[in-house]
Amino acid sequence: MNSEPRIQRAKWRVLCIDDDPEVLEVLRIALGTKHEVVLARDGVEAIGLLDLCEPDFIVCDVRMPKMDGFQTVQAIRRHPRFYKVPVFFLTAEKQRAYAQRGFTIGANLYLTKPF
C-alpha cells in the first residue's frame, strides 16, 4: 500500500463513469459548480484514469460496455491507493439484488435513475 499523503485540493475531484453522454453532462453540470469533475465513458477508461485524476469520490453506472459497474468497482477496490474512495452507484437498475450486489462489492451508496 502506498503511504504517501494525498495533496489537499480546494475542490473535491469526482470521477463520473457512465456510457450515456447525457447523464455525464448532467453530472458535470450539477457537480461541477462545487467539485472538479472527470468523466469516463466506461469502466476500462475509468480504471485508466484513477492514477491520473486521483478522485476523492466516484459515481458509477451499473450497465456499461466493456466493464460493467460491478467489475469496475471491484477493480477500484483492488487498487492499493483508491480502495477506500467512496463509490456511489447511480443506475436505472432498481432490483434489490443489484443494490445488494453493489453493497457487497464495496459501494457506499446505491441511487436509482431518474434522479
Side-chain angles (χ1 to χ4, degrees), residues 26-56:
V26 168
L27 290 170
R28 185 189 65 74
I29 291 168
L31 297 172
T33 59
K34 297 197 182 222
H35 308 291
E36 278 184 54
V37 179
V38 177
L39 306 177
R41 294 168 299 220
D42 58 58
V44 173
E45 183 178 9
I47 298 305
L49 288 171
L50 279 178
D51 286 316
L52 295 172
C53 77
E54 297 183 332
D56 295 300

Side-chain angles (χ1 to χ4, degrees), residues 60-110:
C60 186
D61 189 14
V62 169
R63 299 185 106 204
M64 297 182 293
K66 299 181 186 175
M67 260 179 113
D68 69 26
F70 299 125
Q71 294 166 323
T72 302
V73 172
Q74 287 172 320
I76 292 166
R77 292 297 180 231
R78 287 190 302 266
H79 195 292
R81 288 181 53 212
F82 303 106
Y83 71 97
K84 288 187 178 181
V85 170
V87 176
F88 305 165
F89 274 116
L90 180 61
T91 181
E93 299 300 333
K94 296 178 179 5
Q95 298 91 337
R96 176 173 277 220
Y98 279 83
Q100 289 172 332
R101 183 174 176 199
F103 288 120
T104 298
I105 63 167
N108 299 91
L109 187 64
Y110 191 96

Side-chain angles (χ1 to χ4, degrees), residues 4-43:
E4 293 178 23
R6 294 188 57 192
I7 298 171
Q8 293 291 347
R9 293 185 293 269
K11 292 183 174 186
W12 283 16
R13 187 169 295 143
V14 184
L15 175 58
C16 298
I17 313 162
D18 200 303
D19 61 321
D20 185 333
E22 291 178 3
V23 171
L24 287 177
E25 183 63 11
V26 168
L27 290 170
R28 185 189 65 74
I29 291 168
L31 297 172
T33 59
K34 297 197 182 222
H35 308 291
E36 278 184 54
V37 179
V38 177
L39 306 177
R41 294 168 299 220
D42 58 58

